[in-house]
Amino acid sequence: MAVAVDQFPARPVSIHKAGARGLGGVVANGDLTARARAGDSDAFRELTEPYRWELQVHCYRMLGSFQDAEDALQDTLLAAWQGLAGYGERASIRTWLYRIATRRCLNARRAASRRPVKEWDVPDVAPPEPTRLGEVVWLQPLPDAVLPGIPDLPLGPEARYEKTESISLAFVTALQALPPRQVAVLILRDVLGFHAREVAEMLDTTVDTVNGALKRARVGLQRYRSIVGNREPAPPAGSASEDSITARFVRAFESNNIDALVALLTDDVFISMPPLPLEYEGREAVAGFWSALFDVGRRVDLIATRANGQPAFGTYLHAPNGIRHGTGLIVLTLSEDRICAMTRFENSVLAWFGLPRSLPDE
């Protein structure tokens, strides 16, 4: 019996309320599994729905793309539905689903590596020479609305990353620079805390191979760890400190006040704009980029939202007819009371955050 994957609507469910036990979760109820194998879509939903949210976040970490993660999740559920006969219940349903999802993501990573970069296309604006051309250009933000269950996500004793750090833009970006299998091993071992033996079984390889890939992945993340480790931590989400710096940022940005913007930045501030490869590092370079945008008289309004656990803003450009057109999304990375990074995404992501493509005249 064929079942379309859109019959299983995504709804975040608390892992604890779903009855998971420990890292792997419970082994599936035999009667429920039998009913699902017989074609009962409600039984299949009951088996898999407690893990949908965390699987989607897993796919996002692997792929760095919210859109691709949704596709991979749907592929995972379809493959699980079609492959229930192969689920022998030796491992938990959660571990089995992670095995399927990881393999789907590895295939997607190989396909994504062939995507071309985009060229600058802002009318009447010539960007200054970039500090460098980015290695990671296929990246998308993760709406915080997808993250309500992060406190309930079970982690194994070997997990090395805090839950909030593991969905931050900086961490997800760093992952995309690693080879696909190293990414899979590092996420399964250091982020989720699966044992090496479990990961080896998921990837059909040996424990020695898993340990070797993990060692190389950790070396590959050394630059990320050194940068993050030298920063002051960001203020807590929703705190007065965070609200203060974001309010100052909005006032400066909307008034085209470059001096006020630069005053908010760390010395090593960094701007990236995936899928554009242009990157600017340091206050002077960032000020030069903003000058190129603001000197042509552009007026932009910002609408607040959140992405990857960080402050974010939809950007709306004033047009001569009074309409304000959505031009993109800016995500801020904070360090104490300063902005240490800004990532700008295209306007195609606005709908994921419940933001319109345009706003009427004020």
Side-chain angles (χ1 to χ4, degrees):
M1 175 181 176
V3 176
V5 291
D6 60 7
Q7 291 186 25
F8 310 116
R11 298 195 301 270
V13 175
S14 167
I15 299 298
H16 298 315
K17 291 180 181 178
R21 181 182 62 225
L23 174 63
V26 295
V27 174
N29 177 279
D31 177 64
L32 203 59
T33 305
R35 286 165 47 204
R37 283 174 175 155
D40 186 336
S41 61
D42 288 336
F44 178 77
R45 182 183 295 108
E46 192 173 341
L47 275 175
T48 60
E49 188 169 340
Y51 310 105
R52 295 184 61 125
W53 170 81
E54 60 172 294
L55 287 170
Q56 185 176 16
V57 175
H58 174 62
C59 293
Y60 174 72
R61 291 188 183 109
M62 286 280 301
L63 302 174
S65 163
F66 179 60
Q67 192 171 31
D68 288 351
E70 287 191 318
D71 291 342
L73 175 63
Q74 295 303 309
D75 288 345
T76 296
L77 294 175
L78 181 59
W81 172 257
Q82 295 173 338
L84 271 175
Y87 172 54
E89 301 185 44
R90 294 181 301 275
S92 72
I93 189 73
R94 178 177 183 260
T95 299
W96 182 64
L97 289 170
Y98 266 101
R99 173 189 175 99
I100 298 171
T102 301
R103 293 181 174 205
R104 292 301 181 277
C105 289
L106 287 172
N107 292 336
R109 278 283 299 250
R110 297 184 186 101
S113 66
R114 296 188 290 272
R115 286 192 176 104
V117 300
K118 184 179 178 180
E119 296 193 4
W120 180 264
D121 60 354
V122 180
D124 303 319
V125 176
E129 190 69 22
T131 305
R132 62 172 181 257
L133 296 179
E135 181 180 1
V136 176
V137 295
W138 184 250
L139 185 72
Q140 292 177 337
L142 182 68
D144 270 25
V146 181
L147 303 174
I150 197 165
D152 293 328
L153 182 61
L155 300 179
E158 298 182 48
R160 293 162 58 104
Y161 290 92
E162 295 290 335
K163 295 172 185 177
T164 52
E165 180 186 6
S166 70
I167 51 92
S168 69
L169 267 181
F171 181 70
V172 173
T173 302
L175 289 178
Q176 306 316 302
L178 298 177
R181 287 183 72 86
Q182 289 184 26
V183 173
V185 170
L186 187 132
I187 292 172
L188 293 169
R189 292 282 284 118
D190 282 359
V191 175
L192 296 168
F194 282 104
H195 294 295
R197 176 184 52 79
E198 295 175 293
V199 176
E201 291 175 357
M202 288 183 192
L203 300 178
D204 280 340
T205 188
T206 65
V207 170
D208 286 344
T209 299
V210 166
N211 289 337
L214 180 61
K215 183 177 180 179
R216 291 189 294 275
R218 287 173 176 171
V219 170
L221 285 185
Q222 281 182 350
R223 181 176 183 273
Y224 158 80
R225 296 299 289 171
S226 64
I227 292 174
V228 173
N230 289 329
R231 287 177 180 165
E232 294 296 327
S239 66
S241 296
E242 184 187 76
D243 290 345
S244 174
I245 187 171
T246 55
R248 291 162 59 199
F249 171 77
V250 170
R251 287 195 299 270
F253 202 97
E254 291 186 339
S255 62
N256 292 1
N257 189 334
I258 293 179
D259 290 339
L261 283 170
V262 171
L264 295 174
L265 308 178
T266 60
D267 291 338
D268 60 350
V269 65
F270 176 73
I271 285 184
S272 59
M273 296 170 280
L276 290 166
L278 308 182
E279 295 181 349
Y280 297 90
E281 185 172 15
R283 280 183 167 186
E284 183 177 350
V286 170
F289 173 73
W290 277 337
S291 294
L293 288 177
F294 293 155
D295 284 352
V296 295
R298 292 163 56 94
R299 285 189 58 220
V300 175
D301 290 339
L302 301 182
I303 304 297
T305 183
R306 295 192 69 85
N308 297 76
Q310 302 169 219
F313 300 90
T315 59
Y316 290 83
L317 178 67
H318 287 248
N321 62 2
I323 301 296
R324 291 169 289 166
H325 297 287
T327 58
L329 184 89
I330 295 174
V331 182
L332 303 183
T333 301
L334 305 183
S335 174
E336 204 171 39
D337 61 347
R338 292 288 183 270
I339 298 169
C340 61
M342 297 173 57
T343 310
R344 186 265 182 188
F345 298 97
E346 301 200 307
N347 62 4
S348 58
V349 310
L350 292 174
W352 305 341
F353 295 84
L355 297 175
R357 289 295 291 266
S358 62
L359 296 172
D361 195 3
E362 295 176 293

